[in-house]
Amino acid sequence: MSIERLFIANRGEIAVRIIRAAKELGITTIQAYSEGDADMLAVKLADESVCIGPAKATESYLNINGVVAAAIEKSADAVHPGYGFLSESPEFARAIEQAGIKFVGPSADTIERMGDKVAARQAAEAAGVPVVPGSKGRIESVDEAVEVAAKVGYPVMVKAAAGGGGKGIRIAENEDELRTLAPQAQQEAAAAFGDGGLYVERSVKSPRHIEVQIVGDGKKAVHFYERECSLQRRRQKVWEEAGADCLDDQTRENLCMAAVALAESVNYRGAGTLEYLYEESTNEFFFIEMNTRIQVEHPVTEMITGFDLVQEMIRVCGGESLSVSQDQVKKSGHAIEVRLNAEDPFMQFLPWPGKVERLKIPEGEGIRFDHFMYEGYQIPPFYDSLIGKLIVHGKDRTDAISKMATALESLEINGLKTTVPLHKALAKDPGVASGDFHTQWLEPWLEAGNLTPENT
Amino acid sequence: MAQVLSPLPGTFYMKPSPEAALYKNPGDPVAVGDTIGLIEVMKTFIEVKAEFAGTFSAYLAVDGVPVTAGQALAELVV
């Protein structure tokens, strides 16, 4: 039986996105909201809504019992968790399943398995997906470290097995260096953790963040190509692209098919993303983790493939088979998304939860703006600072960057400070234009003073 | 008497972490720049500092509860 009453256990722009997708499928939408979110756009757009508690997320959006009780009270037959909050909580998925309600995502068991780093790594290896090669477990001696390094290849990273906080981490380019550095790492680990055990793994140089979008129906899975999200600040993605122009066709095919193999091996249902580190100098990629939910940056994939991923995940989680086969997924052009946060980029990205006084949204062919604002809306201070995402689609990467620059010029959000100036500067930057960046590129770029009011 | 006002809207905390002791108790001396509380705004914690020296009198806002920008958080005898 397909879904008729969908309960949205999330807020902000993703709640609006889910409501739009559900409406196009003819599904009745029920929006959950906290006392701090009573006037949010998703509440106005949904067919029905229900208050699930105080503004504080732990007492509303993160309160499993409260959310499940509200879904039951509203006779929902499915719950969409969005991203963040309870979207990757196996306890929440299990509670929903036990209430006889469909969870728009994989089973609680799959969420649990892929959420455990060791289990996810084992599942990836079993499906033939490369992981960062390293020692099987802790090692005790320098000779042992040298033996592992010879197998995994230099450079290697040596870290404390008891680990954490960057203590005891060394990178060795060759055996001589390893013989010098390993004892230092051991001493530092012993001093910091009272345990001199080490772990050795291949060091991935200047890693780029590449991820593959998949959707599965519990039996079959298809991929919707890859995205690159290497421009990050404090491990938060800032600017995302589809596809990743740094990949050659064969590497792209291997990366995407490895993702499908892993998804099928765990009988994956719903939308998911496999994240990889990519080392350009050796053309190698390594699985890091799987996100078992829809992601913030899914629109870039929708722009280049033409598929509605949120509708597809709702359909398969309602019990339907995938509506698309792999050979029907074609990509065209290049898409870029920038995350707009209510923060002051000239003041160390200080949060700026103001009131939206005037909103002018760029329009045109290949421009999309996913958000939850309206004029007069007071951005609540209780949740994360994402207020919207500007997405453009161009015929190639150069065209997409130029379209982004133009779209940013015609975007007006008055009444609050936003990260729009950062994106204007990035869209003009030669390093961004050449695509010559990696996950540790943006923070030094900011520290070097590349963002000034003059270049935005 | 002087009041310490919230610089931003958010959630007010009178302790650095749930297990920790209160930043100030009635009768404690307060120097300019002393931290009186925390405001959690968009998942970021911002310290609220005293702009006057004096003696701590009382918290006026409740721990873990939303406050508006400009709301009085605490009172000092100056």
Side-chain angles (χ1 to χ4, degrees):
Chain A
M1 203 183 72
S2 63
I3 294 167
E4 287 173 11
R5 291 178 59 78
L6 181 66
F7 184 94
I8 297 130
N10 212 300
R11 62 175 304 280
E13 67 87 21
I14 194 65
V16 173
R17 172 74 187 89
I18 296 164
I19 289 171
R20 293 199 197 283
K23 287 203 164 177
E24 284 182 38
L25 293 170
I27 296 171
T28 301
T29 51
I30 308 149
Q31 178 62 50
Y33 67 93
S34 76
E35 285 164 13
D37 268 341
D39 54 0
M40 73 174 170
L41 186 59
V43 170
K44 297 179 194 290
L45 296 175
D47 297 301
E48 299 170 29
S49 60
V50 56
C51 183
I52 53 165
K56 209 173 181 191
T58 49
E59 292 167 23
S60 49
Y61 300 107
L62 288 170
N63 174 3
I64 294 180
N65 292 337
V67 175
V68 174
I72 294 171
E73 181 205 315
K74 295 298 278 179
S75 309
D77 54 11
V79 168
H80 199 307
Y83 52 66
F85 294 124
L86 295 171
S87 61
E88 289 179 284
S89 159
E91 294 76 24
F92 179 59
R94 200 162 282 130
I96 294 292
E97 286 166 11
Q98 281 165 0
I101 299 172
K102 291 181 172 108
F103 182 74
V104 182
S107 68
D109 290 345
T110 302
I111 296 174
E112 199 152 49
R113 183 172 173 195
M114 300 317 282
D116 177 291
K117 279 214 178 277
V118 176
R121 189 181 154 104
Q122 284 166 351
E125 281 186 292
V129 180
V131 296
V132 181
S135 50
K136 290 284 171 249
R138 55 181 281 139
I139 52 174
E140 308 291 345
S141 73
V142 175
D143 284 338
E144 239 182 305
V146 169
E147 212 174 289
V148 173
K151 268 190 223 141
V152 304
Y154 287 92
V156 292
M157 188 188 284
V158 187
K159 47 187 181 185
K167 284 275 192 304
I169 292 184
R170 293 285 188 286
I171 290 173
E173 297 289 336
N174 51 49
E175 186 180 331
D176 282 353
E177 278 190 23
L178 182 58
R179 287 195 178 276
T180 313
L181 296 173
Q184 293 177 9
Q186 229 165 356
Q187 272 179 2
E188 203 172 294
F193 310 109
D195 173 359
L198 295 178
Y199 181 83
V200 174
E201 68 177 26
R202 237 307 278 291
S203 162
V204 183
K205 277 185 287 189
S206 306
R208 300 180 77 122
H209 177 112
I210 309 280
E211 55 186 38
V212 175
Q213 175 71 56
I214 59 102
V215 180
D217 62 12
K219 291 191 187 77
K220 288 183 68 105
V222 292
H223 71 77
F224 292 83
Y225 292 97
E226 82 288 356
R227 296 186 283 262
E228 168 156 21
C229 321
S230 296
L231 295 183
Q232 303 182 3
R233 181 182 167 272
R234 296 194 174 167
R235 307 182 74 95
Q236 292 288 313
K237 297 163 184 167
V238 163
W239 163 299
E240 298 121 333
E241 306 189 22
D245 277 13
C246 57
L247 300 179
D248 61 59
D249 287 344
Q250 190 57 54
T251 306
R252 174 176 295 114
E253 175 75 9
N254 294 344
L255 192 75
C256 292
M257 293 319 292
V260 170
L262 177 53
E264 290 189 344
S265 76
V266 299
N267 299 317
Y268 197 83
R269 185 187 63 217
T273 298
L274 285 93
E275 299 194 332
Y276 301 90
L277 292 179
Y278 175 64
E279 189 177 61
E280 210 169 2
S281 56
T282 57
N283 205 21
E284 284 182 278
F285 60 87
F286 307 102
F287 170 80
I288 40 174
E289 64 174 12
M290 180 169 192
N291 294 323
T292 55
R293 52 170 166 84
I294 193 75
Q295 283 190 283
V296 176
E297 61 272 25
H298 75 274
V300 285
T301 299
E302 296 183 325
M303 295 297 256
I304 63 159
T305 62
F307 287 95
D308 188 312
L309 296 169
V310 179
Q311 284 188 23
E312 191 67 19
M313 77 188 288
I314 293 172
R315 278 196 295 258
V316 293
C317 294
E320 291 179 38
S321 298
L322 277 167
S323 73
V324 54
S325 60
Q326 191 64 65
D327 57 354
Q328 292 171 322
V329 183
K330 307 262 189 260
K331 66 185 184 105
S332 81
H334 194 92
I336 301 174
E337 168 183 289
V338 297
R339 295 194 190 191
L340 306 180
N341 294 340
E343 295 169 2
D344 184 352
F346 300 112
M347 280 283 287
Q348 291 88 46
F349 294 85
L350 188 75
W352 227 95
K355 188 183 232 181
V356 181
E357 277 158 14
R358 189 176 133 73
L359 182 62
K360 188 173 154 251
I361 296 169
E363 285 171 10
E365 170 85 30
I367 297 175
R368 168 172 164 183
F369 189 54
D370 282 22
H371 71 107
F372 65 112
M373 292 177 282
Y374 53 85
E375 289 180 357
Y377 179 57
Q378 169 66 50
I379 311 277
F382 311 111
Y383 311 104
D384 72 39
S385 58
L386 183 74
I387 50 170
K389 310 178 306 202
L390 179 60
I391 307 116
V392 298
H393 185 210
K395 64 178 191 299
D396 55 25
R397 187 167 186 273
T398 309
D399 185 42
I401 293 174
S402 127
K403 224 169 195 167
M404 178 59 78
T406 311
L408 284 165
E409 285 306 326
S410 54
L411 171 66
E412 275 181 51
I413 307 169
N414 294 345
L416 51 154
K417 306 245 188 208
T418 73
T419 51
V420 165
L422 168 67
H423 296 302
K424 285 182 176 172
L426 288 174
K428 280 183 205 165
D429 190 83
V432 172
S434 67
D436 188 15
F437 49 64
H438 49 80
T439 53
Q440 277 115 48
W441 183 89
L442 182 58
E443 290 188 26
W445 182 91
L446 284 165
E447 279 156 28
N450 283 292
L451 177 64
T452 59
E454 292 73 47
N455 70 357
T456 60
Chain B
M1 286 288 200
Q3 291 184 335
V4 180
L5 308 181
S6 180
L8 282 161
T11 305
F12 175 66
Y13 297 96
M14 37 180 100
K15 300 179 275 191
S17 67
E19 305 78 36
L22 298 176
Y23 279 108
K24 294 288 176 191
N25 287 292
D28 284 354
V30 175
V32 173
D34 276 7
T35 301
I36 300 293
L38 287 178
I39 298 288
E40 181 186 4
V41 50
M42 294 180 152
K43 293 182 167 180
T44 301
F45 289 87
I46 290 164
E47 291 186 337
V48 182
K49 296 185 192 264
E51 291 174 357
F52 311 94
T55 304
F56 192 80
S57 162
Y59 282 109
L60 301 175
V62 180
D63 190 56
V65 163
V67 293
T68 54
Q71 186 174 329
L73 303 175
E75 201 164 47
L76 314 181
V77 180
V78 294

